[in-house]
Structures are given as C-alpha cells and as structure tokens.
C-alpha cells in the first residue's frame, strides 16, 4: 500500500520573529529555510515581511502628501484668482 500524501512537519512559531525584526530579508530567509517542512507558515512569514516593509513606505508617502497639500491648494487658489 502506497500513500502519495506529503507529511508536513510543524515548525516553531518563533520563525515569525525573523520577518518582524528584519522585514523582507527575514521573510525571505524564513521562507527558504522552512518551505519544505511547513509551506503555509513559510508563505505567511514571507507575506509578513513584505507587509511590515510596506507600512513605513506607505506612511511616508501619506505624510509627504499631507505636507504638500496646503502648498498645492495655495497654488490652485492663486491660479484661480489670477485668471
């Protein structure tokens, strides 16, 4: 009798610390180390690293937009008054 199922070896949840500390790089390392034993946790570590790296970038972009908004509104109002 032969079974074609793959046995998944559970890995420790401490692997999630790698992407938390090192963002994308930690997620990539965790993914390649545990992908054969626990593919679901490996994918989750990779996604966590990507998300944690994207948050500061998005916050910076929103902050820069918020700072530029009064300047843009002033320019628009001035151009409307000049015409």
């Amino acid at each position: 009798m032969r079974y074609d199922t793959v046995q998944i070896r559970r890995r420790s949840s401490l692997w999630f610390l790698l992407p938390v500390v090192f963002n994308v790089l930690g997620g990539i390392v965790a993914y390649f180390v545990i992908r054969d034993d626990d593919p679901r946790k490996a994918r989750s570590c990779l996604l966590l690293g990507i998300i944690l790296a994207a948050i500061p970038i998005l916050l910076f972009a929103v902050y820069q937009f918020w700072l530029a908004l009064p300047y843009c509104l002033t320019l628009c109002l001035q151009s409307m008054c000049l015409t």
Side-chain angles (χ1 to χ4, degrees):
M1 193 184 287
R2 182 178 161 186
Y3 294 103
D4 289 334
T5 60
V6 176
Q7 184 176 6
I8 296 176
R9 195 175 113 201
R10 287 293 192 199
R11 299 301 291 250
S12 171
S13 293
L14 292 175
W15 281 101
F16 285 110
L17 289 177
L18 212 56
V20 167
V21 174
F22 297 109
N23 289 339
V24 175
L25 184 61
I28 291 171
V29 169
Y31 176 79
F32 283 110
V33 170
I34 65 173
R35 68 179 170 172
D36 294 330
D37 295 335
D38 195 348
R40 186 173 181 185
K41 190 171 287 182
R43 188 178 66 242
S44 296
C45 284
L46 184 61
L47 289 175
L48 179 63
I50 291 170
I51 290 169
L52 289 178
I55 288 173
I57 294 170
L58 291 174
L59 287 176
F60 180 75
V62 168
Y63 179 71
Q64 290 299 318
F65 173 75
W66 190 258
L67 287 177
L69 189 61
Y71 179 71
C72 292
L73 289 175
T74 304
L75 287 176
C76 289
L77 290 174
Q78 285 177 352
S79 66
M80 286 174 34
C81 290
L82 291 176
T83 56

